[in-house]
Amino acid sequence: MEALSLQPIQRLFTPGNTPLVLVCEGEDIIRKLLIRYIEHATHWEVHGAGDGHLAKHFLDLRNYDMVVSALFVDFTNGLELLHYLRKEKESDIPYLLMSSDTAEETAIRAFEMGADDVVEKPINMKELVARMKYQMRKRQMSSLHGI
């Protein structure tokens, strides 16, 4: 992963740009697998954060095109990270929450807070990438049509 500068980098996702994705997952092996698989399947640039504090720090430094986060990560859970993104950063980028909590209330709460999708763990990598591509196409179409 490249070293991040201390200055925010402005990005505007356009059809010719390579999307920049942040994956927040506390389990090192799972995070590395997710990053490697997503990069290979999409050719997008993917950064990884092992905890919520680091994810917030990355979000403060870079303008990501999408966030994929586990529900349970150290220091800040996935719903708190979603709240930070939507309320404090006032960002509407796609947010996919990965959760092993099969309680219906968790998914409902995530959607009410502004999540774009909830993916159940254990993760089916092909399905995750398909959902990510769908969210990216949806965002791209919205920006092209000024929605």
Side-chain angles (χ1 to χ4, degrees):
M1 184 171 80
E2 69 180 81
L4 296 176
S5 69
L6 296 178
Q7 297 298 318
I9 297 172
Q10 298 300 314
R11 286 180 52 89
L12 176 61
F13 177 70
T14 60
N17 287 347
T18 300
L20 180 60
V21 177
L22 177 62
V23 172
C24 183
E25 167 60 61
E27 296 292 327
D28 287 339
I29 293 170
I30 295 172
R31 184 178 59 256
K32 289 174 184 175
L33 275 170
L34 286 166
I35 291 169
R36 192 168 283 165
Y37 189 89
I38 294 166
E39 285 178 336
H40 178 75
T42 64
H43 303 288
W44 297 345
E45 184 177 346
V46 184
H47 296 172
D51 64 61
H53 286 317
L54 187 57
K56 284 182 178 180
H57 179 70
F58 281 10
L59 288 168
D60 287 340
L61 292 177
R62 304 289 298 260
N63 289 324
Y64 288 89
D65 296 302
M66 177 182 291
V67 174
V68 178
S69 178
L71 175 59
F72 300 110
V73 291
D74 291 339
F75 305 116
T76 301
N77 73 39
L79 293 176
E80 291 168 347
L81 186 60
L82 173 59
H83 180 268
Y84 177 76
L85 187 68
R86 296 292 187 245
K87 300 299 181 192
E88 295 183 40
K89 299 286 294 171
E90 298 180 350
S91 174
D92 65 349
I93 64 170
Y95 189 96
L96 284 75
L97 183 70
M98 302 178 294
S99 176
S100 57
D101 181 355
T102 57
E104 188 176 282
E105 295 81 25
T106 301
I108 291 169
R109 184 164 177 225
F111 286 125
E112 287 174 344
M113 293 176 66
D116 294 281
D117 205 348
V118 177
V119 181
E120 201 172 305
K121 285 184 168 184
I123 299 296
N124 176 317
M125 296 287 205
K126 288 181 180 179
E127 180 182 354
L128 175 65
V129 168
R131 289 172 181 258
M132 292 174 69
K133 287 179 177 180
Y134 168 75
Q135 291 297 331
M136 203 62 78
R137 279 193 314 271
K138 198 167 100 173
R139 180 167 172 79
Q140 184 179 10
M141 295 305 292
S142 294
S143 66
L144 288 175
H145 297 296
I147 300 173

